[in-house]
Amino acid sequence: MEREKLNFMYEALKQMENDYLIWEEYILEGPSETWTTVNGKRVLVLCSNNYLGLANHPRLKKAAIEAIEKYGAGSGSVRPIAGTMKIHLELEAEMAKYKNKEASITFQSGFATNMGSIPQLADQGDLIVSDELNHGSIIDGIRLSKAERRIYGHRDVASLEKILESEAKKYRRVLVITDGVFSMDGDIAPLPEIAKLCDEYGAMLYVDDAHGDGVLGENGRGIANHFHLEDKVDIEMGTFSKAYGCVGGYIVGKKVLCDYLRNKVRPYLLTGSQPPPIAAACLEAIKLVQEDNSLFVRLWDNTRYFKKALRQMGFDIGQSETPITPIIIGENKTTKEFSRLLFKEGIFGVPIYYPMVPRGKARIRTIVTAAHTKEDLDLALNAFERVGKSLKII
Ligand SMILES: Cc1ncc(COP(=O)(O)O)c(C=O)c1O
């Protein structure tokens, strides 16, 4: 009986296997660091989101251990019942200060932040306008909303304007949503033009800065700071799971926004709150980046060096402007083979394919970090060149 009920799963997996769409998880046997052991082999990591090398930083670990001693391993409840600890409030206060905003609210993850907040910002009778390459958590948040939705061409301001011009006046409220840095391509949203249109049409502007946090702006304050548009972004969202080395999501903005979300967002109201050691490590990360900008300098030196060399070798690296550098190959099968050969050379760079990127746009998405040395990057570049030539990609 069971076999029959679950048949669709066998069939789906078989189909995915035929299309080279199965995710083979790699197992890290140590911390997320530049060099670590993956599937039993010591490799150079080029695919983590650990932009500033904070995931295994001694200060973050110490803060987490001290918080365990003081508060325990878990919070014991959801935020509005008995799950708000002093450490959560300290983190929110520090985040608001760091981002030059009135207030901040934290969630269990960036995904939960988008999925939970977007439906509370636009409802029946409202309109959401979203970039076609926005992250899946935004797409799911939009799906959970009863608002009408329109998709504009990727970073296409003219396409956004056309929608706002013809549609905005028909709705009670309009919410425009964009990634700050696009996660699979590393390109940046044209925020000044988008903010100007939002002003013109009275639309709220929501920016997901998961990949701009810790990367763009003064001491990594993100894309709004980078473009001096902090007052124009109504809802600035981000994550602690990338540059800040931990896990969790947040929104910063006006106090009224955070008060509203605190009383409306279902993952805030109905899921256990961030464990205290995690909240403490997030807080330490935010303190650390404000004290010292040497990590950003190294991140950007490494980014420029790596991108230039890949471009010179003849790889298609798209329109990336940030430490995310895709090596666009196209077919899933060749991309998987590229990744396998890289791994044999001691380089960990996973293949990325549908549904993370459109079909036919499979790639190895590399991310350099502040922790890579020039020797690390040269080693990786030599391996990319050898594998690229052996597969006749360059
Ligand atoms: C643009 C973007 N938004 C949101 C998320 C989700 O963040 P988190 O890992 O904190 O759930 C990601 C992570 O992949 C992302 O790239």
Side-chain angles (χ1 to χ4, degrees):
M1 275 307 272
E2 170 122 331
R3 181 77 168 81
E4 216 174 282
K5 277 195 281 183
L6 304 187
N7 250 357
F8 74 98
M9 299 181 191
Y10 293 104
E11 283 159 16
L13 285 169
K14 187 83 210 126
Q15 186 59 49
M16 288 164 85
E17 210 174 305
N18 289 343
D19 295 342
Y20 299 93
L21 283 171
I22 293 285
W23 289 93
E24 288 146 26
E25 287 188 7
Y26 296 82
I27 316 299
L28 274 73
E29 291 160 34
S32 177
E33 285 189 318
T34 311
W35 284 92
T36 198
T37 303
V38 178
N39 292 358
K41 186 177 165 88
R42 190 97 183 126
V43 288
L44 176 67
V45 180
L46 263 182
C47 54
S48 85
N49 298 306
N50 189 16
Y51 290 105
L52 300 174
L54 297 184
N56 192 39
H57 195 284
R59 269 181 62 177
L60 272 65
K61 291 201 286 190
K62 182 164 176 280
I65 290 163
E66 284 172 7
I68 289 186
E69 298 296 350
K70 183 167 175 186
Y71 293 102
S75 73
S77 181
V78 297
R79 285 288 298 264
I81 298 182
T84 295
M85 292 171 151
K86 217 167 152 228
I87 193 74
H88 294 118
L89 300 185
E90 283 168 21
L91 172 59
E92 287 171 353
E94 191 65 30
M95 195 65 188
K97 186 185 115 204
Y98 171 55
K99 291 275 188 170
N100 301 318
K101 294 280 180 158
E102 276 179 27
S104 123
I105 173 170
T106 47
F107 302 87
Q108 298 80 0
S109 72
F111 203 105
T113 308
N114 280 335
M115 203 180 64
S117 302
I118 293 168
Q120 304 305 330
L121 295 166
D123 200 354
Q124 200 149 19
D126 302 329
L127 174 69
I128 301 177
V129 195
S130 177
D131 185 291
E132 68 175 318
L133 292 191
N134 276 344
H135 190 256
S137 52
I138 295 177
I139 295 170
D140 284 6
I142 296 174
R143 284 180 178 151
L144 285 176
S145 165
K146 294 201 188 84
E148 284 294 321
R149 62 218 55 181
R150 299 283 182 278
I151 307 301
Y152 63 94
H154 178 51
R155 294 168 73 221
D156 184 346
V157 179
S159 147
L160 170 62
E161 182 164 24
K162 210 165 147 204
I163 294 169
L164 290 173
E165 201 174 18
S166 64
E167 305 280 312
K169 54 184 168 303
K170 298 185 200 157
Y171 296 91
R172 180 181 58 168
R173 282 200 295 272
V174 180
L175 177 66
V176 172
I177 311 181
T178 182
D179 276 11
V181 172
F182 288 84
S183 55
M184 294 300 150
D185 294 272
D187 49 353
I188 299 180
L191 210 55
E193 292 84 355
I194 294 175
K196 192 160 167 276
L197 285 176
C198 287
D199 257 359
E200 216 173 304
Y201 289 92
M204 292 185 287
L205 176 54
Y206 186 121
V207 178
D208 173 338
D209 210 18
H211 291 275
D213 263 334
V215 172
L216 295 176
E218 184 204 356
N219 285 46
R221 282 179 171 80
I223 190 170
N225 175 279
H226 170 79
F227 283 119
H228 308 293
L229 288 170
E230 281 147 314
D231 292 342
K232 299 288 179 189
V233 177
D234 301 291
I235 302 112
E236 193 179 329
M237 173 272 165
T239 173
F240 293 104
S241 73
K242 304 191 191 300
Y244 304 131
C246 303
V247 74
Y250 72 85
I251 279 178
V252 291
K254 291 252 191 268
K255 181 171 176 302
V256 66
L257 167 72
C258 297
D259 288 348
Y260 174 81
L261 295 175
R262 239 177 255 289
N263 288 284
K264 294 289 262 184
V265 173
R266 291 166 72 79
Y268 187 87
L269 297 167
L270 301 173
T271 322
S273 59
Q274 250 189 337
I278 296 301
C282 293
L283 173 61
E284 195 61 23
I286 302 302
K287 287 183 176 166
L288 193 148
V289 292
Q290 290 175 84
E291 286 164 22
D292 172 19
N293 80 347
S294 62
L295 291 175
F296 304 108
V297 175
R298 280 225 300 283
L299 175 66
W300 281 98
D301 277 352
N302 284 347
T303 297
R304 282 185 284 270
Y305 182 77
F306 195 66
K307 269 189 188 339
K308 188 171 168 205
L310 285 172
R311 214 176 263 124
Q312 276 170 355
M313 284 175 197
F315 284 110
D316 174 5
I317 63 168
Q319 306 299 316
S320 168
E321 301 162 76
T322 64
I324 298 173
T325 307
I327 287 140
I328 301 167
I329 294 166
E331 273 180 44
N332 295 351
K333 190 180 172 193
T334 320
T335 311
K336 281 192 161 189
E337 181 60 5
F338 198 113
S339 168
R340 195 186 64 79
L341 293 175
L342 275 182
F343 196 80
K344 259 179 89 182
E345 297 246 8
I347 309 295
F348 184 33
V350 296
I352 305 269
Y353 38 87
Y354 182 83
M356 289 197 194
V357 294
R359 290 182 200 274
K361 294 270 181 192
R363 64 199 59 191
I364 306 290
R365 184 186 63 159
T366 64
I367 299 185
V368 297
T369 73
H372 286 109
T373 63
K374 284 281 177 318
E375 293 72 46
D376 292 335
L377 297 181
D378 285 339
L379 192 95
L381 287 164
N382 287 334
F384 272 94
E385 188 166 32
R386 273 194 297 278
V387 174
K389 281 184 175 157
S390 77
L391 292 178
K392 302 200 170 24
I393 287 163
I394 51 169

Coordinates of all heavy atoms in Angstrom, one line a residue, residues 145-206:
S145 N 0.2 36.2 -0.1 CA -0.6 37.4 0.0 C -1.8 37.4 -1.0 O -1.7 36.7 -2.0 CB 0.3 38.6 -0.4 OG -0.5 39.7 -0.7
K146 N -2.8 38.1 -0.6 CA -4.0 38.1 -1.4 C -4.0 39.3 -2.4 O -4.9 39.5 -3.1 CB -5.3 38.2 -0.6 CG -5.5 37.0 0.3 CD -7.0 36.9 0.7 CE -7.3 35.9 1.8 NZ -7.0 36.3 3.1
A147 N -2.8 40.0 -2.4 CA -2.7 41.1 -3.3 C -2.5 40.7 -4.8 O -2.1 39.5 -5.0 CB -1.5 41.9 -2.9
E148 N -2.8 41.6 -5.7 CA -2.5 41.3 -7.1 C -1.0 41.4 -7.3 O -0.4 42.1 -6.5 CB -3.2 42.4 -8.0 CG -4.7 42.2 -8.2 CD -5.0 41.0 -9.0 OE1 -4.3 40.7 -9.9 OE2 -6.0 40.3 -8.6
R149 N -0.5 40.7 -8.3 CA 1.0 40.8 -8.5 C 1.3 41.0 -9.9 O 0.7 40.6 -10.8 CB 1.6 39.5 -7.9 CG 1.1 38.3 -8.7 CD 0.9 37.1 -7.8 NE 0.1 37.3 -6.7 CZ -0.2 36.4 -5.7 NH1 0.3 35.2 -5.8 NH2 -1.0 36.7 -4.7
R150 N 2.4 41.8 -10.1 CA 3.0 42.0 -11.5 C 4.5 41.8 -11.3 O 5.1 42.2 -10.4 CB 2.7 43.4 -12.0 CG 1.3 43.8 -12.1 CD 0.6 43.2 -13.3 NE -0.8 43.6 -13.4 CZ -1.8 43.0 -12.7 NH1 -1.6 42.0 -12.0 NH2 -3.0 43.5 -12.9
I151 N 5.0 41.2 -12.4 CA 6.5 40.9 -12.4 C 7.1 41.9 -13.4 O 6.7 41.9 -14.6 CB 6.8 39.5 -12.8 CG1 6.0 38.5 -11.9 CG2 8.3 39.2 -12.7 CD1 6.2 38.6 -10.4
Y152 N 8.2 42.6 -13.0 CA 8.9 43.4 -14.0 C 10.2 42.7 -14.4 O 10.7 41.9 -13.7 CB 9.1 44.8 -13.5 CG 10.0 45.0 -12.3 CD1 11.3 45.3 -12.5 CD2 9.5 45.0 -11.0 CE1 12.2 45.5 -11.4 CE2 10.3 45.2 -9.9 CZ 11.6 45.5 -10.1 OH 12.4 45.7 -9.0
G153 N 10.7 43.1 -15.6 CA 11.9 42.5 -16.2 C 13.0 42.7 -15.2 O 13.1 43.8 -14.5
H154 N 14.0 41.8 -15.2 CA 15.1 41.9 -14.3 C 15.8 43.2 -14.4 O 16.4 43.5 -15.4 CB 16.0 40.7 -14.5 CG 17.2 40.7 -13.6 ND1 17.1 40.9 -12.3 CD2 18.5 40.6 -13.9 CE1 18.3 40.8 -11.7 NE2 19.2 40.7 -12.7
R155 N 15.8 44.0 -13.3 CA 16.5 45.3 -13.2 C 16.1 46.3 -14.3 O 16.8 47.2 -14.6 CB 18.1 45.1 -13.3 CG 18.6 44.3 -12.1 CD 20.1 43.9 -12.4 NE 21.0 45.0 -12.3 CZ 22.0 45.2 -13.1 NH1 22.2 44.4 -14.2 NH2 22.8 46.2 -13.0
D156 N 14.9 46.0 -14.8 CA 14.4 46.8 -15.9 C 13.5 47.9 -15.4 O 12.3 47.7 -15.2 CB 13.7 45.9 -16.9 CG 13.2 46.6 -18.1 OD1 13.2 47.8 -18.2 OD2 12.8 45.9 -19.1
V157 N 14.1 49.1 -15.2 CA 13.3 50.2 -14.7 C 12.2 50.7 -15.6 O 11.1 51.0 -15.1 CB 14.3 51.4 -14.4 CG1 13.6 52.6 -13.8 CG2 15.4 50.9 -13.4
A158 N 12.4 50.6 -16.9 CA 11.3 51.0 -17.8 C 10.1 50.1 -17.7 O 9.0 50.5 -17.7 CB 11.9 51.0 -19.2
S159 N 10.4 48.8 -17.5 CA 9.3 47.8 -17.3 C 8.6 48.0 -16.0 O 7.4 48.0 -16.0 CB 9.9 46.4 -17.4 OG 9.3 45.5 -16.7
L160 N 9.3 48.4 -15.0 CA 8.7 48.7 -13.7 C 7.8 50.0 -13.8 O 6.7 50.0 -13.4 CB 9.8 48.9 -12.6 CG 9.3 49.5 -11.3 CD1 8.3 48.5 -10.6 CD2 10.5 49.7 -10.3
E161 N 8.4 51.0 -14.5 CA 7.6 52.2 -14.7 C 6.3 52.0 -15.4 O 5.3 52.5 -15.1 CB 8.5 53.3 -15.4 CG 7.8 54.6 -15.5 CD 8.7 55.7 -15.9 OE1 9.8 55.5 -16.4 OE2 8.3 56.9 -15.6
K162 N 6.4 51.2 -16.5 CA 5.2 50.9 -17.3 C 4.1 50.3 -16.4 O 2.9 50.7 -16.5 CB 5.6 49.9 -18.4 CG 4.8 50.1 -19.6 CD 5.5 49.4 -20.8 CE 4.4 48.9 -21.7 NZ 4.8 47.8 -22.5
I163 N 4.5 49.4 -15.6 CA 3.5 48.7 -14.7 C 2.9 49.7 -13.7 O 1.7 49.8 -13.6 CB 4.1 47.5 -13.9 CG1 4.5 46.4 -14.9 CG2 3.2 47.0 -12.8 CD1 5.4 45.3 -14.3
L164 N 3.8 50.5 -13.1 CA 3.3 51.5 -12.1 C 2.4 52.5 -12.8 O 1.3 52.9 -12.2 CB 4.5 52.2 -11.4 CG 5.3 51.3 -10.5 CD1 6.5 52.1 -10.0 CD2 4.4 50.8 -9.3
E165 N 2.8 52.9 -14.0 CA 2.0 54.0 -14.7 C 0.6 53.5 -15.0 O -0.4 54.2 -14.8 CB 2.7 54.3 -16.0 CG 2.4 55.6 -16.6 CD 3.3 55.8 -17.8 OE1 3.9 54.9 -18.4 OE2 3.3 57.0 -18.2
S166 N 0.5 52.2 -15.4 CA -0.8 51.7 -15.9 C -1.6 51.1 -14.7 O -2.9 51.1 -14.8 CB -0.7 50.7 -17.0 OG 0.0 49.6 -16.5
E167 N -1.0 50.7 -13.6 CA -1.7 49.9 -12.6 C -1.9 50.6 -11.3 O -2.8 50.4 -10.6 CB -1.0 48.6 -12.4 CG -0.8 47.7 -13.6 CD -2.0 47.0 -14.0 OE1 -2.6 46.4 -13.1 OE2 -2.3 47.0 -15.2
A168 N -0.8 51.4 -10.9 CA -0.8 51.9 -9.5 C -2.1 52.5 -9.0 O -2.5 52.2 -7.9 CB 0.4 52.8 -9.3
K169 N -2.7 53.3 -9.8 CA -3.8 54.1 -9.3 C -5.1 53.2 -9.1 O -6.0 53.6 -8.4 CB -4.2 55.3 -10.2 CG -4.4 54.9 -11.7 CD -4.6 56.2 -12.5 CE -4.5 56.0 -14.0 NZ -3.2 55.4 -14.5
K170 N -5.0 52.0 -9.6 CA -6.2 51.1 -9.4 C -6.2 50.5 -8.0 O -7.2 49.8 -7.6 CB -6.2 50.0 -10.4 CG -6.2 50.4 -11.9 CD -6.3 49.2 -12.7 CE -5.9 49.5 -14.2 NZ -5.4 48.3 -14.9
Y171 N -5.1 50.6 -7.3 CA -5.0 49.8 -6.0 C -4.9 50.8 -4.8 O -4.4 51.9 -4.9 CB -3.8 48.9 -6.1 CG -4.0 47.9 -7.1 CD1 -3.5 48.1 -8.4 CD2 -4.7 46.7 -6.8 CE1 -3.8 47.1 -9.4 CE2 -4.9 45.7 -7.8 CZ -4.4 46.0 -9.1 OH -4.7 45.0 -10.1
R172 N -5.2 50.2 -3.6 CA -5.2 51.0 -2.4 C -3.7 51.2 -2.0 O -3.3 52.4 -1.7 CB -5.9 50.1 -1.3 CG -5.9 50.7 0.1 CD -6.6 49.7 1.0 NE -5.9 48.4 1.1 CZ -6.1 47.5 2.0 NH1 -7.0 47.7 2.9 NH2 -5.5 46.3 2.0
R173 N -2.9 50.2 -2.1 CA -1.5 50.3 -1.7 C -0.7 49.6 -2.8 O -1.1 48.6 -3.3 CB -1.2 49.6 -0.4 CG -1.6 50.3 0.9 CD -0.8 49.8 2.1 NE -1.1 48.4 2.4 CZ -2.1 48.1 3.2 NH1 -2.9 49.0 3.8 NH2 -2.3 46.8 3.5
V174 N 0.6 50.1 -3.0 CA 1.5 49.4 -3.9 C 2.8 49.1 -3.2 O 3.3 49.9 -2.5 CB 1.8 50.2 -5.2 CG1 2.7 49.5 -6.1 CG2 0.5 50.6 -5.9
L175 N 3.3 47.8 -3.3 CA 4.5 47.4 -2.7 C 5.5 47.0 -3.8 O 5.2 46.0 -4.5 CB 4.2 46.3 -1.7 CG 5.4 45.6 -1.0 CD1 6.1 46.6 -0.1 CD2 5.0 44.4 -0.3
V176 N 6.6 47.6 -3.9 CA 7.6 47.2 -4.9 C 8.7 46.5 -4.1 O 9.2 46.9 -3.1 CB 8.2 48.5 -5.6 CG1 9.4 48.1 -6.5 CG2 7.2 49.2 -6.4
I177 N 9.1 45.3 -4.7 CA 10.1 44.5 -4.0 C 11.2 44.1 -4.9 O 11.0 43.7 -6.0 CB 9.5 43.1 -3.5 CG1 8.2 43.4 -2.7 CG2 10.5 42.4 -2.6 CD1 7.5 42.1 -2.2
T178 N 12.5 44.3 -4.4 CA 13.6 43.9 -5.2 C 14.7 43.3 -4.2 O 14.8 43.7 -3.1 CB 14.2 45.0 -6.0 OG1 15.3 44.5 -6.7 CG2 14.7 46.2 -5.1
D179 N 15.4 42.3 -4.8 CA 16.7 41.9 -4.1 C 17.6 43.1 -4.2 O 17.6 43.9 -5.2 CB 17.3 40.8 -4.8 CG 16.8 39.4 -4.4 OD1 15.8 39.3 -3.7 OD2 17.4 38.4 -4.8
G180 N 18.5 43.3 -3.3 CA 19.5 44.4 -3.4 C 20.6 43.9 -4.3 O 20.9 44.4 -5.4
V181 N 21.3 42.8 -3.9 CA 22.2 42.0 -4.8 C 21.5 40.7 -5.1 O 21.0 40.0 -4.3 CB 23.5 41.7 -4.0 CG1 24.4 40.8 -4.8 CG2 24.2 43.0 -3.6
F182 N 21.5 40.4 -6.4 CA 20.8 39.2 -6.9 C 21.7 38.0 -6.6 O 22.9 37.9 -7.0 CB 20.4 39.3 -8.3 CG 19.3 40.3 -8.4 CD1 19.5 41.7 -8.5 CD2 17.9 39.9 -8.4 CE1 18.5 42.6 -8.6 CE2 16.9 40.8 -8.4 CZ 17.2 42.1 -8.5
S183 N 21.1 37.0 -5.9 CA 21.9 36.0 -5.3 C 22.6 35.0 -6.3 O 23.6 34.5 -6.0 CB 21.1 35.1 -4.3 OG 19.9 34.6 -5.0
M184 N 22.0 34.8 -7.4 CA 22.7 33.9 -8.4 C 23.5 34.5 -9.4 O 24.3 33.9 -10.1 CB 21.5 33.0 -9.0 CG 20.8 32.2 -8.1 SD 21.9 31.0 -7.3 CE 21.1 30.8 -5.7
D185 N 23.4 35.8 -9.6 CA 24.1 36.6 -10.6 C 25.1 37.6 -10.1 O 26.0 38.0 -10.8 CB 23.2 37.2 -11.6 CG 22.4 36.2 -12.4 OD1 22.8 35.8 -13.4 OD2 21.3 35.8 -11.9
G186 N 24.9 38.0 -8.8 CA 25.8 39.0 -8.2 C 25.7 40.4 -8.8 O 26.5 41.2 -8.5
D187 N 24.6 40.7 -9.5 CA 24.4 42.0 -10.0 C 23.5 42.8 -9.0 O 22.9 42.2 -8.1 CB 23.7 42.0 -11.4 CG 22.5 41.1 -11.5 OD1 22.3 40.4 -10.5 OD2 21.8 41.2 -12.5
I188 N 23.5 44.1 -9.1 CA 23.0 45.0 -8.1 C 21.7 45.7 -8.7 O 21.7 46.1 -9.8 CB 24.0 46.1 -7.7 CG1 25.2 45.4 -7.1 CG2 23.4 47.1 -6.7 CD1 26.3 46.4 -6.7
A189 N 20.7 45.8 -7.8 CA 19.4 46.5 -8.2 C 19.7 47.9 -8.5 O 20.5 48.6 -7.7 CB 18.4 46.3 -7.1
P190 N 19.1 48.5 -9.5 CA 19.2 50.0 -9.8 C 18.4 50.8 -8.8 O 17.3 51.3 -9.1 CB 18.7 50.1 -11.2 CG 17.8 49.0 -11.4 CD 18.2 47.9 -10.5
L191 N 18.8 50.8 -7.5 CA 18.0 51.3 -6.4 C 17.6 52.8 -6.6 O 16.5 53.2 -6.3 CB 18.7 51.0 -5.1 CG 17.7 50.8 -3.9 CD1 16.7 49.7 -4.2 CD2 18.5 50.5 -2.7
P192 N 18.6 53.7 -7.0 CA 18.2 55.1 -7.1 C 17.0 55.3 -8.0 O 16.0 56.0 -7.7 CB 19.4 55.7 -7.7 CG 20.6 54.9 -7.3 CD 20.0 53.5 -7.3
E193 N 17.0 54.6 -9.2 CA 15.9 54.7 -10.1 C 14.6 54.1 -9.6 O 13.5 54.6 -9.7 CB 16.2 54.0 -11.5 CG 17.3 54.7 -12.2 CD 18.7 54.3 -11.8 OE1 18.9 53.5 -10.8 OE2 19.7 54.8 -12.4
I194 N 14.7 53.0 -8.9 CA 13.5 52.3 -8.3 C 12.9 53.2 -7.2 O 11.7 53.4 -7.2 CB 13.9 50.9 -7.8 CG1 14.3 50.0 -8.9 CG2 12.8 50.3 -7.0 CD1 14.8 48.6 -8.5
A195 N 13.8 53.7 -6.4 CA 13.3 54.6 -5.3 C 12.6 55.8 -5.8 O 11.6 56.2 -5.3 CB 14.5 55.0 -4.4
K196 N 13.1 56.3 -6.9 CA 12.5 57.5 -7.5 C 11.1 57.2 -8.0 O 10.1 58.0 -7.8 CB 13.4 58.0 -8.7 CG 13.1 59.4 -9.2 CD 14.3 59.9 -10.0 CE 13.9 61.1 -10.8 NZ 13.3 60.8 -12.1
L197 N 11.0 56.1 -8.6 CA 9.6 55.6 -9.1 C 8.7 55.4 -8.0 O 7.5 55.8 -8.0 CB 9.8 54.4 -10.0 CG 10.3 54.6 -11.4 CD1 10.5 53.2 -12.1 CD2 9.4 55.5 -12.2
C198 N 9.2 54.8 -6.9 CA 8.3 54.5 -5.7 C 7.8 55.9 -5.2 O 6.7 56.0 -4.8 CB 9.1 53.7 -4.7 SG 9.3 52.0 -5.2
D199 N 8.7 56.8 -5.1 CA 8.3 58.2 -4.6 C 7.2 58.8 -5.5 O 6.2 59.3 -5.0 CB 9.5 59.1 -4.7 CG 10.2 59.4 -3.4 OD1 9.6 58.8 -2.4 OD2 11.2 60.1 -3.3
E200 N 7.5 58.6 -6.8 CA 6.5 59.2 -7.8 C 5.1 58.6 -7.7 O 4.1 59.3 -7.8 CB 7.1 59.0 -9.2 CG 6.9 60.1 -10.2 CD 7.7 59.7 -11.4 OE1 8.9 59.5 -11.3 OE2 7.0 59.7 -12.5
Y201 N 5.1 57.3 -7.4 CA 3.8 56.6 -7.5 C 3.3 56.3 -6.0 O 2.3 55.5 -5.9 CB 3.9 55.3 -8.3 CG 4.0 55.7 -9.8 CD1 5.2 55.8 -10.4 CD2 2.9 55.9 -10.6 CE1 5.4 56.1 -11.7 CE2 3.0 56.2 -11.9 CZ 4.2 56.3 -12.5 OH 4.3 56.7 -13.8
G202 N 4.0 56.8 -5.0 CA 3.5 56.6 -3.7 C 3.6 55.1 -3.2 O 2.8 54.6 -2.4
A203 N 4.6 54.3 -3.8 CA 4.7 52.9 -3.5 C 5.6 52.7 -2.4 O 6.6 53.4 -2.2 CB 5.2 52.1 -4.8
M204 N 5.4 51.7 -1.5 CA 6.3 51.3 -0.5 C 7.5 50.5 -1.2 O 7.2 49.7 -2.1 CB 5.7 50.3 0.5 CG 4.6 51.0 1.4 SD 4.0 49.8 2.6 CE 3.0 48.7 1.6
L205 N 8.7 50.7 -0.7 CA 9.8 50.0 -1.3 C 10.4 49.0 -0.3 O 10.7 49.4 0.9 CB 10.9 51.0 -1.7 CG 12.2 50.5 -2.2 CD1 12.0 49.5 -3.4 CD2 13.1 51.6 -2.7
Y206 N 10.5 47.7 -0.7 CA 11.0 46.6 0.1 C 12.2 46.1 -0.5 O 12.2 45.7 -1.7 CB 9.9 45.6 0.2 CG 10.1 44.4 1.1 CD1 9.2 44.1 2.1 CD2 11.2 43.5 0.9 CE1 9.3 43.0 2.9 CE2 11.3 42.4 1.7 CZ 10.4 42.1 2.7 OH 10.5 41.0 3.5

